[in-house]
Amino acid sequence: MANRSYTSRRELEEHSFHPAITLLVPIAAILLQALLPKPFPRLSILDLPLIVTIFFAVSRRSPIAGTLTGAVIGLLQDALTNQPIGVNGIAKAIIGYIAASIGIQVDVEALTTRLLMNFGFSILQSLILYLIDSRLLGLAGQHVLWIHELVRAAINTLVAIPIFFLLDASKRND
């Protein structure tokens, strides 16, 4: 008689990371995001904390963990920038939740999926940040340069792929 397993796909493919990786990678991304654009202004187009949020959210495949990861990374990013506290926290928490939810249903290890996810989440974050600034904070004169946001999404996607491959090496199956 064949044995049946009641283990879900999420439980089979859930990954964990060494605590040092879990802590140091997001902190490094946040610090690089805060410090690199000062001497190199063109690097302000990158959003390394977003890339790290997406990676950890889809790898863990837990919407709660993805939301918390995004919120913490976003809040720390806000603390080191001139954004009002909570703006990036809200945006990255939403991205973390959606990314983890997608990670449960879709093979997120495929290169095409990673490209589409990073590009889509970068555009979605731009939209969320615009809505927070214009609707919640009531900042007048907010507008989005969509061509710039498309270029930003493309560059972030190209940078994310090698980062994802490097971080894949740090995964532990539990």
Side-chain angles (χ1 to χ4, degrees):
M1 176 181 246
N3 289 336
R4 289 189 178 209
S5 172
Y6 293 102
T7 306
S8 70
R9 179 175 178 265
R10 186 184 98 203
E11 291 169 340
L12 287 174
E13 297 178 7
E14 221 171 59
H15 299 286
S16 65
F17 300 90
H18 190 276
I21 298 292
T22 303
L23 186 65
L24 294 178
V25 169
I27 289 173
I30 293 163
L31 288 174
L32 288 172
Q33 184 70 35
L35 299 175
L36 281 179
K38 290 179 176 140
F40 307 105
R42 289 184 178 218
L43 291 180
S44 66
I45 200 162
L46 292 178
D47 194 345
L48 297 174
L50 175 66
I51 294 168
V52 170
T53 298
I54 295 168
F55 178 79
F56 282 120
V58 298
S59 294
R60 291 187 179 129
R61 292 176 169 83
S62 166
I64 294 170
T67 303
L68 291 174
T69 300
V72 169
I73 289 173
L75 288 171
L76 290 173
Q77 184 181 2
D78 287 335
L80 294 177
T81 61
N82 59 357
Q83 286 275 5
I85 298 293
V87 171
N88 281 306
I90 293 169
K92 286 185 176 53
I94 293 169
I95 297 297
Y97 176 81
I98 297 170
S101 298
I102 289 173
I104 295 170
Q105 303 297 323
V106 177
D107 176 22
V108 292
E109 305 295 324
L111 180 63
T112 306
T113 307
R114 288 180 170 186
L115 289 168
L116 292 172
M117 263 190 338
N118 279 289
F119 188 83
F121 285 136
S122 187
I123 295 294
L124 180 60
Q125 178 182 265
S126 296
L127 178 64
I128 293 169
L129 290 174
Y130 167 74
L131 291 173
I132 290 170
D133 286 345
S134 65
R135 303 294 182 204
L136 290 178
L137 296 177
L139 299 176
Q142 291 295 318
H143 60 281
V144 178
L145 303 171
W146 286 108
I147 298 297
H148 179 265
E149 295 306 323
L150 290 172
V151 170
R152 174 188 214 110
I155 290 172
N156 279 308
T157 300
L158 292 175
V159 170
I161 298 307
I163 291 173
F164 273 38
F165 285 125
L166 285 173
L167 292 174
D168 278 339
S170 68
K171 287 181 181 176
R172 298 189 303 192
N173 290 327
D174 287 339

